[in-house]
Amino acid sequence: MEVREVALAAGESYELRLTGRGARGYVWTWQVTGDADAVSVSEAAPAPAQVLPGASLERTYVVRAHCPGGRARIRFAQVRPPYPQEAPYDEFVLEVAVTAG
């Protein structure tokens, strides 16, 4: 599991790219802890690309900072929804400190 720390000014955003395995049934989910209102997470629309069937596809997530002084921890987990008892295939943690700018 990789852990990355970033500092963002309020209103600033950060793009995180994670390798997807959708052809194998895996999706990335995320959970925000800490000051949950300090940041928001959304998935960016994928760019149209020619991808071979079964190939891995990079997914882009945008983290936007909101409340100065806030600290949030975002845990991304790559899971297969039909099998919730399975451990995640991959995990990534992003620690975000929001500054006044």
Side-chain angles (χ1 to χ4, degrees):
M1 172 174 45
E2 183 180 346
V3 178
R4 186 179 303 167
E5 294 182 28
V6 295
L8 300 174
E12 190 176 13
S13 62
Y14 177 82
E15 282 192 2
L16 176 65
R17 289 178 172 77
L18 299 171
T19 301
R21 289 176 180 80
R24 296 183 188 139
Y26 288 92
V27 297
W28 282 102
T29 61
W30 63 85
Q31 180 179 21
V32 180
T33 57
D35 298 325
D37 59 343
V39 298
S40 61
V41 181
S42 60
E43 185 172 2
Q50 229 173 352
V51 180
L52 295 173
S56 295
L57 184 64
E58 191 173 75
R59 310 302 282 177
T60 302
Y61 298 90
V62 178
V63 177
R64 184 167 304 279
H66 298 292
C67 304
R71 293 191 66 81
R73 177 181 176 101
I74 308 165
R75 178 185 168 266
F76 290 88
Q78 197 170 41
V79 298
R80 293 193 304 172
Y83 307 99
Q85 71 281 5
E86 284 185 3
Y89 179 83
D90 198 6
E91 293 180 280
F92 184 92
V93 174
L94 185 65
E95 301 271 357
V96 182
V98 183
T99 64

